Each structure stands twice: as structure tokens, then as C-alpha cells.
């Protein structure tokens, strides 16, 4: 059950991260990354790995996008 919750959080975070990849929306990653960290924490408590792995991917995408935009853009 926790893996399903983690997958849902990861899917929502991934959609938001895709939207935040547009120019001038990079600041949204400051909200998306903590959400994905919570999802990864929930996924770490579950028996499955897919939810945790999805959230780790979203965290990495968000960090790369912040590095590209210099932290804001």
C-alpha cells in the first residue's frame, strides 16, 4: 500500500516537474523536490522499490533543472 502511495506522489511530482521545465517556471522545483523526498521516504518504508525509484528520478530531474536555471529560472 505504501508503494502505491509513493507511486502516486511520484507521478504527480513528475508531471509538475515536466511543467516546471518550461522557461521561467524553474522556481517550482523548490516545491517539487521536497514533495518527491516525502514520496521517496514513503517508498523506502514499503516493500517495493518502484515508488522510491520514481521519486529519486524526480529529485534528480528537479536538481538538474535548478542547476540549469541557476536556482531560480
Amino acid at each position: 500500500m505504501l508503494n502505491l502511495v509513493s507511486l502516486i506522489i511520484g507521478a504527480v511530482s513528475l508531471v509538475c516537474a515536466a511543467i516546471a521545465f518550461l522557461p521561467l517556471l524553474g522556481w517550482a522545483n523548490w516545491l517539487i523536490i521536497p514533495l518527491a523526498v516525502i514520496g521517496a521516504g514513503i517508498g523506502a518504508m514499503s516493500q517495493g522499490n518502484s515508488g522510491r525509484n520514481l521519486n529519486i528520478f524526480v529529485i534528480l530531474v528537479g536538481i538538474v533543472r535548478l542547476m540549469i536555471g541557476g536556482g531560480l529560472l
Side-chain angles (χ1 to χ4, degrees):
M1 186 65 168
L2 289 175
N3 195 37
L4 180 62
V5 172
S6 180
L7 280 170
I8 291 171
I9 292 172
V12 169
S13 298
L14 185 62
V15 169
C16 292
I19 293 170
F21 230 87
L22 295 172
L24 300 175
L25 293 178
W27 56 268
N29 285 306
W30 288 106
L31 304 173
I32 294 166
I33 292 173
L35 180 64
V37 168
I38 292 170
I42 293 172
M45 292 188 292
S46 71
Q47 292 183 359
N49 290 332
S50 56
R52 184 196 68 208
N53 292 343
L54 176 62
N55 283 293
I56 290 172
F57 175 72
V58 173
I59 292 168
L60 291 176
V61 167
I63 289 173
V64 168
R65 174 60 177 95
L66 282 174
M67 288 179 6
I68 290 171
L72 278 179
L73 304 174

